Amino acid sequence: MDPNKRPDDMQRINTPELAQAFIDEQVQAVREQAGDGKVLLALSGGVDSSVVAALLIKAIGKNLICVHVNHGLMRKGESEQVIDVFQNQMDANLVYVDATDRFLNLLDGVDEPEAKRKIIGGEFIRVFEEEARKVGDEVDFLAQGTIYPDILESQDGVKAHHNVGGLPEDLQFELVEPVKLLFKDEVREVGRALGLPEGMVERQPFPGPGLGVRCLGAITRDRLEALREADAIVREEMEAANVGAWQYFAVVPDVRATGVRDGVRAYEWPAIIRAINTVDVMTAEVPELDWALLKRMTDRITHEVPGICRVAYDLTPKPVGTVEWE
Amino acid sequence: MDPNKRPDDMQRINTPELAQAFIDEQVQAVREQAGDGKVLLALSGGVDSSVVAALLIKAIGKNLICVHVNHGLMRKGESEQVIDVFQNQMDANLVYVDATDRFLNLLDGVDEPEAKRKIIGGEFIRVFEEEARKVGDEVDFLAQGTIYPDILESQDGVKAHHNVGGLPEDLQFELVEPVKLLFKDEVREVGRALGLPEGMVERQPFPGPGLGVRCLGAITRDRLEALREADAIVREEMEAANVGAWQYFAVVPDVRATGVRDGVRAYEWPAIIRAINTVDVMTAEVPELDWALLKRMTDRITHEVPGICRVAYDLTPKPVGTVEWE
């Protein structure tokens, strides 16, 4: 039987009971696979890696070594939540690496989107590799948050899916991929049954390069910070208004526009609100947001975020636009 | 009696009959002032200078020399309309100067808004001065579209109002300012009575530097052209939808965003739609536009304008934003 093929008769996990049964089964399987060995996991804070972390903590406790690399491009409160949930609440073996300076120094002055993505992806591998080498002698396994769509897509040749691909030859581990046959909704159901907070289980898809591709052009620390605050306001207000959009976030382009604060000329960045609905991410529509909500976000962002004096709502469907601006 | 003081008993010109009476009176006054002399006028195509032109053509015919300087930053079709109305329809003595290259060459690489404004304003004076010198020996009068709010503001010390200020000492003419005691709505009423087309009489306020302050940052010819086309679509659709907004236009910042056209990555400019309502321009509100209208403008701009793959709607009131982005 192909271990990467979901059995035709496998039931969709859509109840707490089914999720619990899956957890019991996987806890057993992981214990059998890893024995007393140590397992390494790159814990981004996304749904998939968070669910794998919680599952493995349940199975092997401190034999799981979670490495959370903060590349400085996380959304507001995300790294803090990872520490709070996994270190404080679940008492995990968590290595927290604040690599903000490394990433931002490398990105200094780089404005081409593909170049930015390569730098962020490459440096992520290097930072994780350094941490892996520190514990490499005692570790035999690498856990990954691979899910079933990843496997289907890599079989289609659409993309190679290694959550931590690119590690050097001498750092190859045996893989532990407990959710690799699950679809996203099932991963969320399992996450809930594992006691992860709702905000983490329902976390929106977030690109690997993080805010790096939403702080358009050459990233600067002040504009990145403005983006992080504006993005937090967009998420907070959209959630409070219970807008069922698939994804929503802020973008801050590298351009300034005039404004007026207390009668004095301001020359600050605009923030763009991006929200989309999609079924398959191949196409996307822009939801018609309530006017009062748009006004409230505009008012809060222009008054609470230093450096931002304008807000616009992106009206572009995909195609012709893409979901992200870079 | 102060000639710059509107008499307390002057009736508001709000009917065709009152407008006609004003025209008859001013035609007489201009003929008395100028006699057989020649009068020079900088004709921008805005409401005020257009009304003065039409009035003076009625009064002194070809003794009025209209100079229209096209700085290359006009909206789509504007210079063409000036030529059509004044040269073709009114048979005016019109000097058309296409100074596009002069302005765009000077602006090449200049990205600071105030520097751009200074270059455009300064060069406008120089081009007009050159034309004035060509006819200077035979001209004694300079006509200006000064209106009453200009006079009130310059008395307040808010700003100096010379429509063609900055001419050198040896080129000082006696001023002819036939609408200097009128408010804007009266100027429009007079324009209608003079037979000017409605699109010219109701023309939105347009900043002196024109599209130069809406093609953000360093102006390039291709982005300026994209802005001109996007702006024309915004105006066409807003007018077709009969949106009673005070002002609406497009802005194209100097930044690129990804998109996808026919399955291929695009990396093009966004266009921002700006619309406002205001009573006194000191504060301004953003109108809630019909969603179908916003979608239609987005669809047309991203498909009809080469180089634009995104459209956003500016949500910022004044304050904190200003009406213009630069």
Side-chain angles (χ1 to χ4, degrees), chain A residues 205-220:
Chain A
F206 187 51
L211 297 181
V213 293
R214 296 175 183 172
C215 188
L216 302 189
I219 299 165
T220 57

Side-chain angles (χ1 to χ4, degrees), chain A residues 113 257-261 267 270 274 286-288 291 298 303 309-316 319-322 324-326, chain B residues 113 257-261 267 270 274 286-288 291 298 303 309-316 319-322 324-326:
Chain A
T258 54
V260 56
R261 281 190 197 281
Y267 192 45
R274 180 67 165 149
V286 177
E288 179 179 358
W291 188 248
T298 300
H303 287 93
C309 74
R310 269 178 201 272
V311 174
Y313 184 40
D314 184 357
L315 303 168
T316 323
V320 176
T322 42
E324 300 286 343
W325 274 50
E326 281 196 343
Chain B
T258 55
V260 56
R261 280 190 198 279
Y267 192 45
R274 180 66 165 152
V286 177
E288 178 179 357
W291 188 247
T298 300
H303 287 92
C309 72
R310 269 178 200 273
V311 174
Y313 184 41
D314 186 355
L315 303 168
T316 323
V320 175
T322 42
E324 300 286 342
W325 274 52
E326 278 195 345

